[in-house]
Amino acid sequence: MKQRIYFNEVVTRDGFQMEPEFVPTDTKIQLIDDLSQCGYAKIEVTSFTSAKAIPMLRDAEEVMGRIQRAPSVEYTVLVPNVRGAERAMEVKPDEFNLVMSTSETHNLSNLRMPRENSFAALNEVIRQFGHQVPINVSLSACFGCPMEGDVSLEEVLQWSQRFADLGVRGLTICDTTGMAQPDQVAQMCEVLQKRFPSLQLTLHFHNTRGMGLANVLAAVRSGIDRFDGSLGGLGGCPYAPGASGNICSEDAIHMLDAMGYETGIDLPQLLGIARHLPGIVQHAVPGQVAKSGCTFDLHPIPAYIHDLKKDFA
Ligand code: COA
Ligand code: ZN
């Protein structure tokens, strides 16, 4: 048996936040309850952001308050500021996932303030709530910004260090618009693991340019064991131009399963849920394994091949 890989399902947060049609609250809750039975290590349920900025997640309190929590799953929520943290605290998540961007332009576009202001706001969240709830920080645009271009490894290390110094439990390194390539991912992962051996490191890829699973593999091979993924490959930041879906959870899990990694996920059960997703969002979704079936789902052998086998016996 190879290494254990831990998955965080983000479909009801990153996955839904850019969808044009509101997904009803009851549907979100049912989906999370179903996903809770599949073996995920973590589920990112929703975000406590401004309802004007992310109208899809305006029901955050109700969703977080009504889901049935499975004891083996950690339920995390995205928090951008103290206001969001106060709202989230009311429904007692297992983790806060704070967010800011390593790109100044993307931070201004997404969070409407310079990075230093975001850092100060998140620092305040950690000061007020860090003793009550574990803190993860998602750093956006770590592999490039769609408006600024390259984001240097140094820049990512610097922001990571500042949060590490505040005592956070983990960091999620996000490729917000699918700009990462596997060699860059391997280098980033090696440097981060060396520099922050005691932090939980999670990689968050989008498949915007078809490099998502190659990037997962590069990260796994350099020792990373935590990934964000979105059911069906839905997702994207509404404030990052050209954003599109996350890596598809079930496709990534299928690949790692096939390679002998232990993901803890019941893949057939997950695929059953994934097949309902187009009905929920009312359009086709990018994920492939839910359409094609697993490599171990064999097709029946056509009758004429039995005849040919006899002829050539
Ligand atoms: N939850 C609910 N409402 C919030 C809020 C929160 N966490 N933070 C601010 N608000 C409200 C304010 O009360 C204010 O409401 P009003 O217009 O009715 O008075 C409004 O939002 C603007 O507040 P302000 O402090 O000026 O915030 P802003 O306009 O600078 O926006 C963010 C800052 C971070 C709240 C906002 O940009 C946001 O929520 N962005 C979402 C980012 C995101 O989730 N992106 C995708 C994931 S990476
Ligand atoms: Zn994302």
Side-chain angles (χ1 to χ4, degrees), residues 14 204 206 246:
D14 205 340
H204 176 110
H206 283 256
N246 291 67

Side-chain angles (χ1 to χ4, degrees), residues 64-180:
M64 214 22 226
R66 286 181 45 208
I67 54 169
Q68 295 196 354
R69 298 202 199 179
S72 56
V73 182
E74 275 196 307
Y75 296 89
T76 188
V77 295
L78 192 100
V79 165
N81 56 14
V82 172
R83 171 83 199 282
E86 286 165 354
R87 290 174 54 207
M89 224 38 221
E90 295 291 309
V91 283
K92 299 191 170 45
D94 298 317
E95 181 192 78
F96 279 180
N97 183 26
L98 311 186
V99 64
M100 67 167 283
S101 186
T102 55
S103 147
E104 183 74 354
T105 312
H106 179 241
N107 206 72
L108 284 164
S109 142
N110 191 33
L111 299 163
R112 306 186 152 273
M113 61 186 90
R115 290 172 297 180
E116 283 302 337
N117 297 44
S118 277
F119 182 77
L122 300 183
N123 188 0
E124 186 55 25
V125 172
I126 295 168
R127 197 187 66 73
Q128 287 189 33
F129 300 94
H131 55 286
Q132 299 174 59
V133 60
I135 306 279
N136 185 77
V137 178
S138 281
L139 293 173
S140 308
C142 288
F143 297 91
C145 164
M147 294 163 284
E148 286 185 12
D150 289 348
V151 171
S152 70
L153 181 54
E154 253 330 294
E155 191 76 51
V156 176
L157 286 176
Q158 198 187 311
W159 290 105
S160 302
Q161 187 67 57
R162 291 180 74 179
F163 283 108
D165 291 345
L166 296 179
V168 303
R169 172 174 75 162
L171 289 175
T172 299
I173 305 300
C174 301
D175 180 25
T176 307
T177 59
M179 293 172 75

Side-chain angles (χ1 to χ4, degrees), residues 34-297:
D34 291 343
L35 291 168
S36 290
Q37 303 307 314
C38 290
Y40 281 102
K42 207 190 267 190
I43 296 178
E44 186 162 309
V45 174
T46 186
S47 71
F48 288 86
T49 44
S50 141
K52 275 185 211 143
I54 311 281
M56 172 64 96
L57 303 179
R58 60 181 182 254
D59 54 4
E61 278 89 348
E62 189 178 353
V63 172
M64 214 22 226
R66 286 181 45 208
I67 54 169
Q68 295 196 354
R69 298 202 199 179
S72 56
V73 182
E74 275 196 307
Y75 296 89
T76 188
V77 295
L78 192 100
V79 165
N81 56 14
V82 172
R83 171 83 199 282
E86 286 165 354
R87 290 174 54 207
M89 224 38 221
E90 295 291 309
V91 283
K92 299 191 170 45
D94 298 317
E95 181 192 78
F96 279 180
N97 183 26
L98 311 186
V99 64
M100 67 167 283
S101 186
T102 55
S103 147
E104 183 74 354
T105 312
H106 179 241
N107 206 72
L108 284 164
S109 142
N110 191 33
L111 299 163
R112 306 186 152 273
M113 61 186 90
R115 290 172 297 180
E116 283 302 337
N117 297 44
S118 277
F119 182 77
L122 300 183
N123 188 0
E124 186 55 25
V125 172
I126 295 168
R127 197 187 66 73
Q128 287 189 33
F129 300 94
H131 55 286
Q132 299 174 59
V133 60
I135 306 279
N136 185 77
V137 178
S138 281
L139 293 173
S140 308
C142 288
F143 297 91
C145 164
M147 294 163 284
E148 286 185 12
D150 289 348
V151 171
S152 70
L153 181 54
E154 253 330 294
E155 191 76 51
V156 176
L157 286 176
Q158 198 187 311
W159 290 105
S160 302
Q161 187 67 57
R162 291 180 74 179
F163 283 108
D165 291 345
L166 296 179
V168 303
R169 172 174 75 162
L171 289 175
T172 299
I173 305 300
C174 301
D175 180 25
T176 307
T177 59
M179 293 172 75
Q181 46 88 353
D183 287 347
Q184 181 190 16
V185 169
Q187 190 198 14
M188 175 84 77
C189 293
E190 277 154 26
V191 173
L192 283 167
Q193 287 174 101
K194 231 178 248 155
R195 176 82 81 93
F196 305 108
S198 57
L199 285 186
Q200 267 189 12
L201 292 174
T202 303
L203 270 286
H204 176 110
F205 294 115
H206 283 256
N207 196 35
T208 314
R209 293 175 179 81
M211 293 188 275
L213 291 195
N215 288 333
V216 169
L217 199 52
V220 166
R221 292 206 159 139
S222 54
I224 294 292
D225 61 359
R226 292 179 187 273
F227 293 92
D228 288 355
S230 178
L231 196 72
L234 288 181
C237 172
Y239 301 101
S244 71
N246 291 67
I247 57 154
C248 169
S249 301
E250 62 273 23
D251 289 4
I253 289 160
H254 175 267
M255 176 183 81
L256 293 168
D257 271 10
M259 294 175 74
Y261 289 95
E262 177 53 60
T263 61
I265 305 272
D266 183 332
L267 188 57
Q269 195 177 343
L270 184 61
L271 288 169
I273 300 169
R275 290 186 181 113
H276 289 123
L277 196 58
I280 293 176
V281 292
Q282 300 168 43
H283 60 77
V285 300
Q288 299 191 38
V289 179
K291 295 167 196 150
S292 60
C294 300
T295 48
F296 50 77
D297 296 334

